[in-house]
């Protein structure tokens, strides 16, 4: 069942050569625009949507010192949209990160300024290791409660 695919930009094709990385979805959208579209009166996505969402790191960095509050708000908005994604047979939505995804006790993005607590949005799914150099994290649209 599809959901969110959390992935580092360096693992996508492109920039990886064809067949060496995860195929990038076609429709690139900023994270704030993605949230705005989810809040509209009409759910904009369907089975042919191919979303690649960028900019979550920037949203979280700009939300300091209220980062935890913002992550919980984002989690709530995504959770509220889960049934719409599922009812419309939407494929995997790629959430792309420039910096390293690190899974220890929790999943976070290792940004040079501060670790970003994305586990507060997506939980801490196990890594999906495709090869030694290809790793992503997948979670359903129906995010678990925090």
């Amino acid at each position: 069942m599809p959901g969110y695919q959390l992935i580092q930009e360096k693992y996508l094709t492109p920039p990886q050569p064809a067949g060496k990385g995860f195929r990038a979805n076609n429709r690139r959208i900023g994270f704030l625009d993605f949230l705005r579209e989810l809040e509209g009166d009409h759910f904009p996505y369907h089975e042919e949507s191919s979303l690649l969402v960028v900019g979550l790191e920037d949203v979280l960095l700009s939300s300091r010192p209220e980062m935890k509050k913002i992550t919980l708000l984002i989690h709530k908005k995504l959770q509220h949209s889960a049934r719409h994604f599922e009812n419309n047979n939407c494929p995997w939505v790629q959430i792309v990160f420039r910096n390293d995804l690190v899974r220890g006790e929790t999943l976070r993005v290792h940004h040079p300024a501060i670790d970003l607590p994305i586990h507060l949005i997506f939980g801490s799914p196990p890594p999906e290791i495709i090869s030694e150099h290809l790793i992503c994290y997948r979670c359903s649209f129906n995010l678990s409660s925090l």
Side-chain angles (χ1 to χ4, degrees):
M1 178 179 275
Y4 297 105
Q5 180 183 37
L6 312 176
I7 188 166
Q8 289 176 233
E9 187 173 43
K10 68 182 180 182
Y11 295 141
L12 293 174
T13 298
Q16 291 288 324
K20 301 287 184 183
F22 294 99
R23 185 172 171 266
N25 285 348
N26 297 330
R27 182 172 177 215
R28 186 179 184 99
I29 185 171
F31 197 81
L32 290 177
D33 291 331
F34 175 65
L35 289 180
R36 271 188 222 100
E37 287 188 0
L38 294 179
E39 292 174 344
D41 292 336
H42 172 70
F43 187 74
Y45 307 119
H46 48 77
E47 67 277 352
E48 294 180 20
S49 297
S50 182
L51 297 175
L52 184 142
V53 183
V54 298
L56 176 55
E57 290 162 293
D58 297 329
V59 170
L60 295 180
L61 285 169
S62 67
S63 71
R64 290 183 297 176
E66 300 292 325
M67 190 182 311
K68 183 175 180 179
K69 179 180 171 184
I70 296 303
T71 58
L72 297 174
L73 179 63
I74 291 169
H75 174 87
K76 184 178 177 180
K77 288 180 181 190
L78 294 179
Q79 180 64 26
H80 179 59
S81 299
R83 69 178 169 83
H84 297 296
F85 278 109
E86 292 168 354
N87 291 344
N88 288 286
N89 298 317
C90 293
W92 289 99
V93 173
Q94 293 174 330
I95 309 291
V96 177
F97 299 91
R98 292 184 313 270
N99 295 287
D100 292 340
L101 287 164
V102 179
R103 179 135 186 333
E105 187 175 316
T106 59
L107 183 62
R108 61 197 182 281
V109 174
H110 183 68
H111 187 275
I114 187 172
D115 279 352
L116 306 175
I118 62 167
H119 68 279
L120 295 175
I121 301 170
F122 301 103
S124 292
E128 184 175 312
I129 302 170
I130 305 303
S131 73
E132 184 179 331
H133 302 289
L134 288 178
I135 302 169
C136 73
Y137 299 85
R138 294 182 189 227
C139 56
S140 75
F141 290 123
N142 191 7
L143 301 170
S144 60
S145 298
L146 298 175

